[in-house]
Amino acid sequence: MDLAIQISLTVNGVAVSRRVEPRQSLVDFLRYGLELTGSHVGCEHGVCGACTVRVDGAIARGCLMLAVQCDGCRVETIEGVAGTGEVFDLQQAFAQENALQCGFCTPGMLLTAQDLLARKPAASAQEIREALSGNYCRCTGYHAIVEAVRKTAEARGRA
Amino acid sequence: MKPVPFAYHRPASLDEALALMERYGADGRVLAGGQSLVPALNMRLAAPAALIDINRLPGLDGISLEPEGLVIGALARHEAVEASPLVARHAPLIAQAMPHVGHRAIRTRGTVGGTVALADPAAELPACLVALDAIVRVTGRGSRRDIPVQRFFRGIYTTDLAPGEIVTAVVALPIGPGWRSRFTELARRHGDYALVGLAAHCRVEGGVIREARLAFCGVGATPVRASRAEATLSGRRPDADVVAEAGRALDADLDPPGDVHASPALRRHLARVLLARAVAQIVT
Protein backbone atom coordinates (compact mmCIF):
# COMPACT_ATOMS: atom_id res chain seq x y z
CA MET A 1 0.00 0.00 0.00
CA ASP A 2 1.54 3.29 -1.08
CA LEU A 3 0.72 5.95 1.45
CA ALA A 4 3.27 8.48 0.17
CA ILE A 5 2.19 12.06 -0.33
CA GLN A 6 3.69 14.81 -2.47
CA ILE A 7 4.82 17.85 -0.52
CA SER A 8 6.35 21.18 -1.54
CA LEU A 9 8.13 23.44 0.87
CA THR A 10 11.14 25.71 1.12
CA VAL A 11 14.14 24.53 3.07
CA ASN A 12 16.79 27.14 3.78
CA GLY A 13 15.27 29.29 1.06
CA VAL A 14 15.32 26.57 -1.61
CA ALA A 15 12.07 25.23 -3.03
CA VAL A 16 11.81 21.47 -2.59
CA SER A 17 9.22 18.93 -3.81
CA ARG A 18 9.30 15.33 -2.69
CA ARG A 19 7.09 12.33 -2.09
CA VAL A 20 7.24 11.35 1.56
CA GLU A 21 5.83 8.60 3.73
CA PRO A 22 3.41 10.13 6.24
CA ARG A 23 5.27 8.46 9.08
CA GLN A 24 8.56 10.14 8.22
CA SER A 25 9.51 12.82 10.74
CA LEU A 26 10.63 16.21 9.57
CA VAL A 27 14.15 15.61 10.87
CA ASP A 28 14.47 12.26 9.10
CA PHE A 29 13.20 13.93 5.91
CA LEU A 30 15.86 16.63 6.23
CA ARG A 31 18.61 14.11 6.92
CA TYR A 32 17.72 11.29 4.54
CA GLY A 33 15.67 13.12 1.93
CA LEU A 34 17.74 16.28 1.63
CA GLU A 35 21.05 15.16 3.15
CA LEU A 36 20.97 18.06 5.59
CA THR A 37 22.58 16.22 8.47
CA GLY A 38 23.13 19.17 10.80
CA SER A 39 19.83 18.50 12.57
CA HIS A 40 20.48 15.54 14.81
CA VAL A 41 18.25 12.71 15.93
CA GLY A 42 18.60 12.06 19.63
CA CYS A 43 15.69 10.90 21.72
CA GLU A 44 12.89 10.96 19.12
CA HIS A 45 10.35 12.02 21.70
CA GLY A 46 10.88 15.72 22.06
CA VAL A 47 13.07 15.73 25.14
CA CYS A 48 16.66 16.29 23.98
CA GLY A 49 16.34 19.19 21.52
CA ALA A 50 19.07 17.94 19.14
CA CYS A 51 16.60 18.04 16.23
CA THR A 52 15.51 21.66 16.77
CA VAL A 53 14.71 23.47 13.50
CA ARG A 54 12.64 26.51 12.56
CA VAL A 55 9.27 26.09 10.88
CA ASP A 56 7.72 29.29 9.58
CA GLY A 57 10.11 31.22 11.81
CA ALA A 58 9.34 29.41 15.08
CA ILE A 59 11.62 26.80 16.66
CA ALA A 60 10.13 23.33 16.70
CA ARG A 61 11.17 19.75 17.38
CA GLY A 62 12.05 18.07 14.08
CA CYS A 63 11.22 14.69 15.63
CA LEU A 64 7.71 15.78 16.70
CA MET A 65 6.59 17.08 13.32
CA LEU A 66 5.92 14.91 10.32
CA ALA A 67 7.41 15.93 7.01
CA VAL A 68 3.91 15.85 5.46
CA GLN A 69 2.81 18.52 7.93
CA CYS A 70 5.39 20.90 6.46
CA ASP A 71 3.78 21.04 3.04
CA GLY A 72 3.83 24.73 2.10
CA CYS A 73 5.99 25.68 5.08
CA ARG A 74 9.29 27.51 5.35
CA VAL A 75 11.80 25.29 7.13
CA GLU A 76 15.22 26.47 8.28
CA THR A 77 17.98 24.24 9.61
CA ILE A 78 21.37 24.94 11.12
CA GLU A 79 22.86 24.75 7.62
CA GLY A 80 20.67 27.63 6.48
CA VAL A 81 20.98 29.73 9.61
CA ALA A 82 24.77 29.29 9.70
CA GLY A 83 25.00 29.83 5.95
CA THR A 84 23.41 33.27 6.08
CA GLY A 85 25.72 34.34 8.89
CA GLU A 86 22.78 34.87 11.24
CA VAL A 87 24.42 32.94 14.08
CA PHE A 88 28.04 33.62 13.18
CA ASP A 89 28.75 35.48 16.42
CA LEU A 90 27.07 32.74 18.47
CA GLN A 91 29.18 30.12 16.73
CA GLN A 92 32.32 32.14 17.44
CA ALA A 93 31.35 32.49 21.09
CA PHE A 94 30.69 28.74 21.37
CA ALA A 95 34.19 28.09 20.01
CA GLN A 96 35.84 30.66 22.26
CA GLU A 97 34.07 29.45 25.40
CA ASN A 98 34.64 25.78 24.66
CA ALA A 99 30.87 25.45 24.61
CA LEU A 100 30.96 22.39 22.41
CA GLN A 101 32.73 19.16 23.05
CA CYS A 102 31.31 16.36 20.90
CA GLY A 103 29.12 18.89 19.08
CA PHE A 104 26.03 16.69 18.87
CA CYS A 105 23.77 19.14 20.70
CA THR A 106 25.31 22.28 19.20
CA PRO A 107 22.96 22.86 16.22
CA GLY A 108 19.92 22.66 18.51
CA MET A 109 21.63 24.82 21.12
CA LEU A 110 22.43 27.49 18.53
CA LEU A 111 18.89 27.62 17.13
CA THR A 112 17.34 27.71 20.60
CA ALA A 113 19.76 30.39 21.81
CA GLN A 114 19.18 32.47 18.68
CA ASP A 115 15.42 32.24 19.25
CA LEU A 116 15.85 33.45 22.83
CA LEU A 117 18.11 36.35 21.91
CA ALA A 118 15.74 37.44 19.14
CA ARG A 119 12.93 37.71 21.72
CA LYS A 120 14.98 38.80 24.74
CA PRO A 121 18.19 40.47 23.61
CA ALA A 122 19.22 41.21 27.22
CA ALA A 123 18.43 37.73 28.58
CA SER A 124 19.96 36.99 31.98
CA ALA A 125 21.97 33.86 32.74
CA GLN A 126 18.88 32.48 34.51
CA GLU A 127 16.69 33.14 31.45
CA ILE A 128 19.31 31.54 29.22
CA ARG A 129 19.36 28.44 31.44
CA GLU A 130 15.58 28.21 31.33
CA ALA A 131 15.46 28.68 27.57
CA LEU A 132 18.10 25.97 27.04
CA SER A 133 16.53 23.59 29.55
CA GLY A 134 14.93 21.67 26.69
CA ASN A 135 18.28 21.00 25.01
CA TYR A 136 20.48 18.27 26.44
CA CYS A 137 24.26 18.32 26.33
CA ARG A 138 25.42 14.85 27.28
CA CYS A 139 28.98 16.14 27.60
CA THR A 140 27.33 18.31 30.29
CA GLY A 141 29.05 21.47 29.13
CA TYR A 142 26.16 23.65 30.19
CA HIS A 143 28.13 26.29 32.03
CA ALA A 144 30.22 27.12 28.99
CA ILE A 145 27.13 27.09 26.75
CA VAL A 146 25.30 29.57 28.99
CA GLU A 147 28.43 31.74 29.08
CA ALA A 148 28.71 31.72 25.29
CA VAL A 149 25.09 32.80 24.91
CA ARG A 150 25.41 35.44 27.61
CA LYS A 151 28.55 36.91 26.04
CA THR A 152 26.87 36.97 22.64
CA ALA A 153 23.93 38.85 24.14
CA GLU A 154 26.33 41.37 25.69
CA ALA A 155 28.27 41.82 22.47
CA ARG A 156 25.08 42.31 20.46
CA GLY A 157 23.91 44.84 23.03
CA ARG A 158 27.08 46.87 22.52
CA ALA A 159 26.94 46.66 18.73
CA MET B 1 12.01 4.18 17.02
CA LYS B 2 9.90 5.02 14.00
CA PRO B 3 6.10 4.94 13.82
CA VAL B 4 4.24 2.16 12.09
CA PRO B 5 2.91 3.24 8.67
CA PHE B 6 -0.32 5.19 8.66
CA ALA B 7 -2.44 7.13 6.21
CA TYR B 8 -2.47 10.89 6.49
CA HIS B 9 -5.41 13.20 5.90
CA ARG B 10 -5.48 16.94 6.10
CA PRO B 11 -9.14 17.97 6.04
CA ALA B 12 -9.96 21.49 4.93
CA SER B 13 -13.10 21.85 7.02
CA LEU B 14 -14.44 20.71 10.37
CA ASP B 15 -17.18 18.72 8.58
CA GLU B 16 -14.57 16.90 6.56
CA ALA B 17 -12.55 16.17 9.72
CA LEU B 18 -15.63 14.80 11.51
CA ALA B 19 -16.48 12.61 8.51
CA LEU B 20 -12.93 11.18 8.54
CA MET B 21 -13.18 10.54 12.28
CA GLU B 22 -16.41 8.64 11.68
CA ARG B 23 -14.86 6.69 8.81
CA TYR B 24 -11.84 5.53 10.81
CA GLY B 25 -13.44 5.28 14.23
CA ALA B 26 -10.99 4.01 16.83
CA ASP B 27 -8.37 3.39 14.10
CA GLY B 28 -8.01 7.12 13.44
CA ARG B 29 -6.31 9.69 15.61
CA VAL B 30 -6.69 13.44 15.47
CA LEU B 31 -3.34 15.22 15.06
CA ALA B 32 -3.31 18.69 16.60
CA GLY B 33 0.00 20.02 17.94
CA GLY B 34 1.34 16.48 18.05
CA GLN B 35 3.67 17.11 20.98
CA SER B 36 2.27 14.13 22.88
CA LEU B 37 0.81 12.07 20.02
CA VAL B 38 3.97 12.00 17.89
CA PRO B 39 6.16 10.72 20.76
CA ALA B 40 3.54 8.02 21.31
CA LEU B 41 3.72 7.16 17.60
CA ASN B 42 7.53 7.16 17.63
CA MET B 43 7.57 4.80 20.60
CA ARG B 44 4.77 2.73 19.06
CA LEU B 45 2.59 3.23 22.09
CA ALA B 46 0.03 4.36 19.51
CA ALA B 47 -0.35 2.73 16.11
CA PRO B 48 -3.36 4.29 14.37
CA ALA B 49 -4.29 3.39 10.80
CA ALA B 50 -4.74 7.06 9.96
CA LEU B 51 -3.92 10.50 11.25
CA ILE B 52 -6.42 13.28 10.73
CA ASP B 53 -4.37 16.47 10.79
CA ILE B 54 -6.60 19.33 11.93
CA ASN B 55 -3.83 21.94 12.02
CA ARG B 56 -5.14 23.79 9.01
CA LEU B 57 -8.82 23.85 9.87
CA PRO B 58 -9.87 27.48 9.55
CA GLY B 59 -11.17 29.53 12.46
CA LEU B 60 -10.13 27.26 15.33
CA ASP B 61 -7.04 29.13 16.50
CA GLY B 62 -8.68 32.38 17.59
CA ILE B 63 -8.65 33.96 21.03
CA SER B 64 -11.56 36.36 21.53
CA LEU B 65 -13.78 37.94 24.13
CA GLU B 66 -17.37 36.89 23.45
CA PRO B 67 -20.59 37.40 25.42
CA GLU B 68 -20.14 33.93 26.98
CA GLY B 69 -16.57 34.59 28.06
CA LEU B 70 -13.00 34.38 26.89
CA VAL B 71 -13.01 31.87 24.05
CA ILE B 72 -9.70 30.17 23.28
CA GLY B 73 -9.84 28.11 20.10
CA ALA B 74 -8.65 24.51 20.16
CA LEU B 75 -5.85 25.24 17.71
CA ALA B 76 -4.47 28.20 19.65
CA ARG B 77 -0.90 27.22 20.40
CA HIS B 78 0.58 27.57 23.85
CA GLU B 79 2.92 30.23 22.54
CA ALA B 80 -0.02 32.31 21.24
CA VAL B 81 -1.92 31.95 24.50
CA GLU B 82 1.22 32.99 26.41
CA ALA B 83 1.55 36.12 24.25
CA SER B 84 -2.14 37.06 24.14
CA PRO B 85 -3.04 40.38 25.80
CA LEU B 86 -6.65 39.14 26.06
CA VAL B 87 -5.60 36.08 28.05
CA ALA B 88 -3.26 38.14 30.26
CA ARG B 89 -6.09 40.53 31.05
CA HIS B 90 -9.10 38.24 31.36
CA ALA B 91 -7.55 34.92 32.41
CA PRO B 92 -4.20 35.78 34.03
CA LEU B 93 -4.10 32.33 35.64
CA ILE B 94 -3.78 30.73 32.20
CA ALA B 95 -1.21 33.30 31.09
CA GLN B 96 0.89 32.57 34.20
CA ALA B 97 0.75 28.82 33.57
CA MET B 98 1.88 28.89 29.95
CA PRO B 99 5.63 29.43 30.51
CA HIS B 100 5.63 26.23 32.59
CA VAL B 101 4.33 24.11 29.70
CA GLY B 102 7.25 22.13 28.27
CA HIS B 103 9.86 24.13 26.40
CA ARG B 104 9.42 26.89 23.88
CA ALA B 105 9.98 24.56 20.91
CA ILE B 106 7.09 22.51 22.32
CA ARG B 107 4.85 25.52 23.01
CA THR B 108 5.19 26.78 19.44
CA ARG B 109 3.38 23.61 18.33
CA GLY B 110 1.30 22.34 21.26
CA THR B 111 -2.36 23.37 21.26
CA VAL B 112 -5.01 24.13 23.84
CA GLY B 113 -7.41 21.59 22.36
CA GLY B 114 -4.77 18.90 22.26
CA THR B 115 -3.85 19.41 25.91
CA VAL B 116 -7.47 19.34 26.99
CA ALA B 117 -8.36 16.28 24.91
CA LEU B 118 -5.28 14.37 26.11
CA ALA B 119 -6.08 15.02 29.80
CA ASP B 120 -2.61 14.37 31.15
CA PRO B 121 -2.98 14.66 34.93
CA ALA B 122 0.33 16.53 35.21
CA ALA B 123 -0.63 19.16 32.63
CA GLU B 124 -0.98 22.78 33.72
CA LEU B 125 -3.86 24.03 31.58
CA PRO B 126 -6.49 21.51 32.78
CA ALA B 127 -5.83 22.57 36.40
CA CYS B 128 -6.26 26.22 35.42
CA LEU B 129 -9.54 25.45 33.67
CA VAL B 130 -10.80 23.60 36.75
CA ALA B 131 -9.86 26.52 39.02
CA LEU B 132 -11.66 28.89 36.64
CA ASP B 133 -14.75 26.66 36.31
CA ALA B 134 -14.32 26.84 32.55
CA ILE B 135 -16.24 25.10 29.80
CA VAL B 136 -14.93 22.72 27.15
CA ARG B 137 -16.75 23.18 23.84
CA VAL B 138 -16.93 20.08 21.69
CA THR B 139 -18.45 19.33 18.29
CA GLY B 140 -19.55 16.07 16.73
CA ARG B 141 -21.45 15.37 13.53
CA GLY B 142 -24.62 17.37 13.95
CA SER B 143 -24.02 18.05 17.63
CA ARG B 144 -22.39 20.62 19.81
CA ARG B 145 -21.93 20.47 23.58
CA ASP B 146 -20.60 22.83 26.21
CA ILE B 147 -19.21 20.61 28.98
CA PRO B 148 -18.37 22.00 32.45
CA VAL B 149 -14.72 21.23 32.91
CA GLN B 150 -15.26 19.40 36.22
CA ARG B 151 -17.29 16.83 34.29
CA PHE B 152 -14.93 16.80 31.32
CA PHE B 153 -11.84 15.37 33.04
CA ARG B 154 -12.80 11.87 34.15
CA GLY B 155 -9.51 10.10 34.78
CA ILE B 156 -5.96 9.63 33.57
CA TYR B 157 -6.05 10.44 29.84
CA THR B 158 -9.81 10.01 30.04
CA THR B 159 -12.40 12.65 29.19
CA ASP B 160 -16.10 13.04 28.54
CA LEU B 161 -15.45 13.24 24.77
CA ALA B 162 -17.63 10.75 22.90
CA PRO B 163 -16.34 8.92 19.82
CA GLY B 164 -16.54 11.27 16.86
CA GLU B 165 -16.40 14.41 18.98
CA ILE B 166 -13.62 16.96 18.83
CA VAL B 167 -12.69 19.80 21.17
CA THR B 168 -13.16 23.11 19.40
CA ALA B 169 -12.59 25.65 22.20
CA VAL B 170 -12.38 26.32 25.89
CA VAL B 171 -14.43 29.12 27.41
CA ALA B 172 -13.58 30.88 30.67
CA LEU B 173 -15.48 33.68 32.35
CA PRO B 174 -13.38 36.85 32.41
CA ILE B 175 -11.78 37.45 35.78
CA GLY B 176 -14.14 39.43 38.04
CA PRO B 177 -13.48 42.37 40.37
CA GLY B 178 -11.43 41.41 43.42
CA TRP B 179 -10.32 38.08 41.96
CA ARG B 180 -6.63 37.32 41.89
CA SER B 181 -4.81 34.40 40.35
CA ARG B 182 -1.55 32.61 40.84
CA PHE B 183 -0.19 29.61 38.99
CA THR B 184 2.87 28.04 40.52
CA GLU B 185 4.58 24.69 40.24
CA LEU B 186 7.65 22.78 41.31
CA ALA B 187 9.64 20.72 38.83
CA ARG B 188 13.14 19.38 39.13
CA ARG B 189 14.12 21.39 36.06
CA HIS B 190 12.32 24.14 34.15
CA GLY B 191 10.06 22.65 31.49
CA ASP B 192 9.84 19.20 33.05
CA TYR B 193 6.56 17.77 34.21
CA ALA B 194 5.61 19.34 37.51
CA LEU B 195 5.99 17.21 40.61
CA VAL B 196 3.10 19.33 41.88
CA GLY B 197 1.40 22.36 40.40
CA LEU B 198 -1.22 24.72 41.82
CA ALA B 199 -3.72 26.90 40.03
CA ALA B 200 -5.06 29.27 42.68
CA HIS B 201 -7.89 31.69 41.99
CA CYS B 202 -9.23 33.75 44.90
CA ARG B 203 -11.50 36.71 45.58
CA VAL B 204 -9.79 39.03 48.02
CA GLU B 205 -11.40 41.93 49.88
CA GLY B 206 -9.30 44.12 52.15
CA GLY B 207 -6.77 41.36 52.80
CA VAL B 208 -9.47 38.76 53.51
CA ILE B 209 -9.93 35.80 51.18
CA ARG B 210 -13.65 35.71 50.44
CA GLU B 211 -13.61 32.76 48.06
CA ALA B 212 -10.79 30.38 47.20
CA ARG B 213 -10.54 28.02 44.26
CA LEU B 214 -7.51 25.74 44.38
CA ALA B 215 -6.81 23.14 41.69
CA PHE B 216 -3.69 20.98 41.87
CA CYS B 217 -2.06 19.08 39.02
CA GLY B 218 0.31 16.13 39.27
CA VAL B 219 -1.32 14.78 42.43
CA GLY B 220 -4.11 12.57 41.07
CA ALA B 221 -5.83 11.16 38.03
CA THR B 222 -7.37 14.52 37.13
CA PRO B 223 -6.89 18.09 38.33
CA VAL B 224 -7.86 17.99 42.01
CA ARG B 225 -9.86 20.71 43.76
CA ALA B 226 -8.70 21.17 47.34
CA SER B 227 -12.12 21.84 48.85
CA ARG B 228 -11.11 21.55 52.52
CA ALA B 229 -8.19 23.92 52.12
CA GLU B 230 -10.50 26.27 50.19
CA ALA B 231 -13.01 26.23 53.05
CA THR B 232 -10.22 26.82 55.57
CA LEU B 233 -9.09 29.95 53.75
CA SER B 234 -12.50 31.38 52.91
CA GLY B 235 -13.62 34.37 54.93
CA ARG B 236 -10.30 34.69 56.70
CA ARG B 237 -7.21 36.84 56.66
CA PRO B 238 -4.46 34.41 55.60
CA ASP B 239 -1.89 34.92 58.33
CA ALA B 240 0.72 32.27 59.03
CA ASP B 241 -1.59 30.23 61.28
CA VAL B 242 -4.43 30.19 58.76
CA VAL B 243 -2.10 29.20 55.92
CA ALA B 244 -0.63 26.41 58.07
CA GLU B 245 -4.15 25.22 58.88
CA ALA B 246 -5.05 25.23 55.18
CA GLY B 247 -1.85 23.30 54.49
CA ARG B 248 -2.89 20.63 56.99
CA ALA B 249 -6.31 20.51 55.37
CA LEU B 250 -4.58 19.57 52.12
CA ASP B 251 -3.69 16.22 53.66
CA ALA B 252 -7.34 15.27 53.45
CA ASP B 253 -7.83 16.87 50.01
CA LEU B 254 -4.94 15.21 48.24
CA ASP B 255 -3.90 11.59 47.85
CA PRO B 256 -0.87 12.01 45.60
CA PRO B 257 0.85 9.10 43.88
CA GLY B 258 4.45 8.14 44.47
CA ASP B 259 6.80 7.45 41.59
CA VAL B 260 10.47 7.59 40.71
CA HIS B 261 10.33 11.39 40.81
CA ALA B 262 8.72 11.96 44.21
CA SER B 263 7.12 10.03 47.04
CA PRO B 264 3.55 10.78 48.15
CA ALA B 265 4.96 12.42 51.30
CA LEU B 266 7.20 14.72 49.25
CA ARG B 267 4.29 15.67 46.99
CA ARG B 268 2.15 16.49 50.04
CA HIS B 269 4.95 18.65 51.40
CA LEU B 270 5.42 20.44 48.07
CA ALA B 271 1.67 21.05 47.80
CA ARG B 272 1.78 22.87 51.14
CA VAL B 273 4.79 24.89 49.98
CA LEU B 274 2.97 25.90 46.81
CA LEU B 275 -0.19 26.80 48.70
CA ALA B 276 1.73 29.11 51.04
CA ARG B 277 3.54 30.75 48.13
CA ALA B 278 0.40 31.24 46.07
CA VAL B 279 -1.61 32.69 48.97
CA ALA B 280 1.22 35.08 49.86
CA GLN B 281 1.39 36.33 46.28
CA ILE B 282 -2.36 36.61 45.98
CA VAL B 283 -2.88 38.75 49.09
CA THR B 284 0.13 41.05 48.67
Coordinates of all heavy atoms in Angstrom, one line a residue, chain A residues 25 44-45 62-66 69, chain B residues 3 31-44 51:
Chain A
S25 N 9.4 11.6 10.0 CA 9.5 12.8 10.7 C 10.2 13.9 9.9 O 10.9 13.6 8.9 CB 10.3 12.6 12.0 OG 11.6 12.3 11.7
E44 N 14.1 11.2 19.9 CA 12.9 11.0 19.1 C 11.6 11.0 19.9 O 10.6 10.5 19.5 CB 13.0 9.6 18.4 CG 14.1 9.5 17.4 CD 14.0 8.3 16.5 OE1 14.0 7.2 17.0 OE2 13.9 8.6 15.3
H45 N 11.6 11.7 21.1 CA 10.3 12.0 21.7 C 10.3 13.4 22.3 O 9.6 13.7 23.3 CB 9.9 10.9 22.6 CG 10.8 10.6 23.8 ND1 11.9 9.9 23.7 CD2 10.7 11.0 25.1 CE1 12.5 9.7 24.9 NE2 11.8 10.4 25.7
G62 N 12.1 18.8 15.4 CA 12.0 18.1 14.1 C 11.6 16.6 14.2 O 11.1 16.0 13.2
C63 N 11.7 16.1 15.4 CA 11.2 14.7 15.6 C 9.7 14.6 16.0 O 9.2 13.5 16.0 CB 12.0 14.0 16.7 SG 11.7 14.6 18.4
L64 N 9.1 15.8 16.3 CA 7.7 15.8 16.7 C 6.8 16.4 15.6 O 5.7 16.7 15.9 CB 7.5 16.5 18.0 CG 8.2 15.9 19.2 CD1 7.7 16.5 20.5 CD2 8.0 14.3 19.3
M65 N 7.4 16.7 14.5 CA 6.6 17.1 13.3 C 6.8 16.1 12.2 O 7.9 15.5 12.1 CB 7.0 18.5 12.8 CG 6.4 19.6 13.6 SD 6.6 21.2 12.8 CE 5.3 21.2 11.6
L66 N 5.8 15.8 11.5 CA 5.9 14.9 10.3 C 6.3 15.8 9.1 O 5.8 16.9 9.0 CB 4.6 14.2 10.1 CG 4.1 13.4 11.3 CD1 2.6 13.0 11.0 CD2 4.9 12.2 11.6
Q69 N 3.4 17.3 7.3 CA 2.8 18.5 7.9 C 3.4 19.8 7.4 O 2.9 20.9 7.6 CB 3.0 18.5 9.5 CG 2.1 17.5 10.2 CD 2.3 17.6 11.7 OE1 3.2 17.1 12.3 NE2 1.4 18.4 12.3
Chain B
P3 N 7.5 5.4 13.8 CA 6.1 4.9 13.8 C 5.8 3.8 12.8 O 6.5 3.7 11.8 CB 5.3 6.2 13.4 CG 6.3 7.3 13.5 CD 7.7 6.7 13.3
L31 N -4.7 14.6 14.8 CA -3.3 15.2 15.1 C -3.5 16.7 15.2 O -3.9 17.4 14.2 CB -2.4 14.9 13.9 CG -1.0 15.6 13.9 CD1 -0.2 15.2 15.1 CD2 -0.3 15.3 12.6
A32 N -3.3 17.2 16.4 CA -3.3 18.7 16.6 C -1.8 19.1 16.7 O -1.1 19.0 15.7 CB -4.1 19.0 17.8
G33 N -1.4 19.6 17.8 CA 0.0 20.0 17.9 C 1.0 18.9 17.8 O 2.1 19.0 17.4
G34 N 0.5 17.7 18.2 CA 1.3 16.5 18.1 C 2.5 16.3 19.1 O 3.3 15.4 18.9
Q35 N 2.5 17.2 20.1 CA 3.7 17.1 21.0 C 3.6 16.0 22.0 O 4.6 15.6 22.7 CB 3.9 18.5 21.7 CG 4.1 19.6 20.7 CD 5.3 19.4 19.8 OE1 6.4 19.5 20.2 NE2 5.0 19.1 18.5
S36 N 2.4 15.4 22.1 CA 2.3 14.1 22.9 C 2.0 12.9 22.0 O 2.4 11.8 22.2 CB 1.2 14.3 23.9 OG 1.5 15.3 24.8
L37 N 1.2 13.2 20.9 CA 0.8 12.1 20.0 C 2.0 11.6 19.2 O 2.2 10.3 19.1 CB -0.3 12.5 19.1 CG -0.7 11.5 18.0 CD1 -1.1 10.2 18.6 CD2 -1.8 12.0 17.1
V38 N 2.8 12.5 18.7 CA 4.0 12.0 17.9 C 5.0 11.2 18.7 O 5.5 10.2 18.2 CB 4.6 13.2 17.1 CG1 5.8 12.7 16.3 CG2 3.6 13.8 16.2
P39 N 5.3 11.6 19.9 CA 6.2 10.7 20.8 C 5.5 9.3 20.9 O 6.2 8.3 20.9 CB 6.3 11.4 22.1 CG 6.0 12.9 21.8 CD 5.1 12.9 20.6
A40 N 4.2 9.3 21.1 CA 3.5 8.0 21.3 C 3.6 7.2 20.0 O 3.8 6.0 20.1 CB 2.1 8.2 21.7
L41 N 3.6 7.9 18.9 CA 3.7 7.2 17.6 C 5.2 6.7 17.5 O 5.4 5.5 17.1 CB 3.4 8.1 16.4 CG 2.0 8.6 16.3 CD1 1.9 9.7 15.1 CD2 1.0 7.5 16.0
N42 N 6.1 7.5 17.8 CA 7.5 7.2 17.6 C 7.9 6.0 18.5 O 8.7 5.1 18.1 CB 8.4 8.3 18.0 CG 8.4 9.5 17.0 OD1 7.8 9.3 15.9 ND2 9.0 10.6 17.3
M43 N 7.3 5.9 19.7 CA 7.6 4.8 20.6 C 6.6 3.6 20.4 O 6.7 2.6 21.1 CB 7.5 5.3 22.1 CG 8.6 6.3 22.4 SD 8.7 6.7 24.1 CE 7.6 8.1 24.2
R44 N 5.8 3.8 19.4 CA 4.8 2.7 19.1 C 3.8 2.4 20.2 O 3.3 1.3 20.3 CB 5.5 1.5 18.5 CG 6.3 1.8 17.3 CD 6.6 0.6 16.4 NE 7.3 1.1 15.2 CZ 7.5 0.3 14.1 NH1 7.1 -0.9 14.1 NH2 8.1 0.8 13.1
L51 N -3.9 9.2 10.5 CA -3.9 10.5 11.2 C -4.8 11.5 10.5 O -4.7 11.6 9.3 CB -2.5 11.1 11.4 CG -1.5 10.4 12.3 CD1 -0.3 11.3 12.5 CD2 -2.1 10.1 13.6

